[in-house]
Amino acid sequence: MNIQEKLSLIEEALDTEENTLTPETVLEDVDSWDSIAALSLIAMMDDNFGKTLSGSEIKALVTVGDILAHME
Amino acid sequence: MMNENMLNLEGEKYLVTGASSGIGQATAILISKLGGKVILNGRSGERLNQTYSKMEGEGHHVMPFDLTNQEGIKTYIDSCLKIDDQRLDGVVFAAGIGGGSVLRAENLENLQHIIEANFLPYFSILKACSSRRVLNDGGSIVAISSRAAKNPDKAQLSYASSKAALDTASEVAALEFAKRRVRVNTVRPEMVDTPMGAAFFESVSPEQQKEFYPLDPLTAEDVANTIAFLLSDMSSKITGQHICLSAGNDGRPIDFLI
């Protein structure tokens, strides 16, 4: 999966418009980054990468790049 | 702007399921008169065309699709967006069936059949609407519930349960979508004089009818009026609610048919 495909999955989980996120995007600046987006992100990681993000891992996320680092 | 007509749906785009007859048809026609654009959903293109022929304005589209085809709903909704390259501003979930019997005669297959028609497609539609790429922020979703969700009668286990499920699902969606100012409500009509309600009205005398419904029995147009209100900005602070259209009925059961 290339980075564009990964960004697209994150955009879907965070319910942003397409092609609006970059690895540098700060999550706090994303209006739709909330508890519902976090739960959607956890489900997406589980479905696509077989990983279960913990609460502390979610809390530690600062940028979109931090999410990408888990997507391997 | 006290005199502004806030029931104006000009430029808004709505998906109306079950638009072939009854409440869905009346709602599609009313939305068109209020300036909205409608995607008409139902199983039969031919029957949807009959609804279409009674509508006003432009920008409506007949898009037949059987909503019991769960796997296809997302693709179907995408095609509803692509047809004019616009997202939805609202959804009216009016697709539904009646039927059912007393527990001794009811069976699992019928329960499943009713849940598959009345409730499961609503889940898929709400799920699609959880994305602002499908439903614009500030949008409004209305599902047709029933008096049965609150005051179920004998022989209504399947039907009433499917309608109660719609109500509860709407409450959850209302909470999750509130940040986007997307509202989710249901209407709970009494018996309505539509093809689905025909058996009831055929079996009661005019006197009995007046006793049940002092305000006169509901028509599909009565229900459509309340739906239009819930779609419009006039109800902009109402969400997660179930609006009872009582027609004056005091909650008395209608199970004398059994």
Short mmCIF file of all heavy atoms in Angstrom, two decimals, chain B residues 1 20 62 114 127 177 186 223 231:
data_model
loop_
_atom_site.label_atom_id
_atom_site.label_comp_id
_atom_site.label_asym_id
_atom_site.label_seq_id
_atom_site.Cartn_x
_atom_site.Cartn_y
_atom_site.Cartn_z
N MET B 1 -36.04 38.19 10.57
CA MET B 1 -36.79 37.93 9.32
C MET B 1 -38.01 37.06 9.65
O MET B 1 -38.07 35.88 9.30
CB MET B 1 -35.88 37.23 8.30
CG MET B 1 -34.64 38.01 7.90
SD MET B 1 -35.02 39.51 7.02
CE MET B 1 -35.04 38.92 5.33
N SER B 20 -42.32 5.13 -4.20
CA SER B 20 -43.31 4.66 -5.18
C SER B 20 -44.74 4.89 -4.73
O SER B 20 -45.64 5.01 -5.56
CB SER B 20 -43.15 3.15 -5.41
OG SER B 20 -41.84 2.83 -5.71
N VAL B 62 -34.98 9.53 -11.05
CA VAL B 62 -35.53 8.22 -10.72
C VAL B 62 -34.37 7.23 -10.65
O VAL B 62 -33.67 7.01 -11.64
CB VAL B 62 -36.57 7.78 -11.79
CG1 VAL B 62 -36.95 6.32 -11.59
CG2 VAL B 62 -37.80 8.68 -11.71
N ILE B 114 -39.06 -8.92 7.77
CA ILE B 114 -39.48 -7.56 8.12
C ILE B 114 -38.30 -6.71 8.59
O ILE B 114 -38.17 -5.55 8.21
CB ILE B 114 -40.62 -7.62 9.17
CG1 ILE B 114 -41.90 -8.12 8.48
CG2 ILE B 114 -40.85 -6.25 9.81
CD1 ILE B 114 -43.12 -8.17 9.36
N LYS B 127 -24.93 4.71 8.10
CA LYS B 127 -23.47 4.53 8.03
C LYS B 127 -22.88 5.39 6.91
O LYS B 127 -21.88 6.06 7.11
CB LYS B 127 -23.13 3.05 7.82
CG LYS B 127 -21.64 2.74 7.89
CD LYS B 127 -21.40 1.25 7.89
CE LYS B 127 -19.94 0.92 7.65
NZ LYS B 127 -19.03 1.46 8.68
N PHE B 177 -23.87 12.51 15.16
CA PHE B 177 -23.80 13.48 14.05
C PHE B 177 -24.00 14.94 14.52
O PHE B 177 -23.91 15.86 13.71
CB PHE B 177 -24.87 13.18 12.99
CG PHE B 177 -24.75 11.82 12.32
CD1 PHE B 177 -25.74 11.37 11.47
CD2 PHE B 177 -23.64 11.01 12.53
CE1 PHE B 177 -25.64 10.12 10.84
CE2 PHE B 177 -23.53 9.75 11.92
CZ PHE B 177 -24.54 9.32 11.07
N THR B 186 -37.43 10.73 13.84
CA THR B 186 -38.42 9.85 13.21
C THR B 186 -39.82 10.41 13.44
O THR B 186 -40.02 11.22 14.34
CB THR B 186 -38.37 8.41 13.77
OG1 THR B 186 -38.89 8.40 15.11
CG2 THR B 186 -36.96 7.85 13.77
N VAL B 223 -48.53 13.31 6.94
CA VAL B 223 -47.22 12.84 7.42
C VAL B 223 -46.11 13.56 6.66
O VAL B 223 -45.10 13.98 7.25
CB VAL B 223 -47.10 11.31 7.27
CG1 VAL B 223 -45.78 10.82 7.88
CG2 VAL B 223 -48.27 10.60 7.94
N LEU B 231 -37.25 18.33 7.87
CA LEU B 231 -36.14 18.53 6.93
C LEU B 231 -35.69 19.98 6.91
O LEU B 231 -34.53 20.28 6.63
CB LEU B 231 -36.56 18.13 5.50
CG LEU B 231 -36.86 16.65 5.23
CD1 LEU B 231 -37.36 16.49 3.80
CD2 LEU B 231 -35.64 15.77 5.47
#
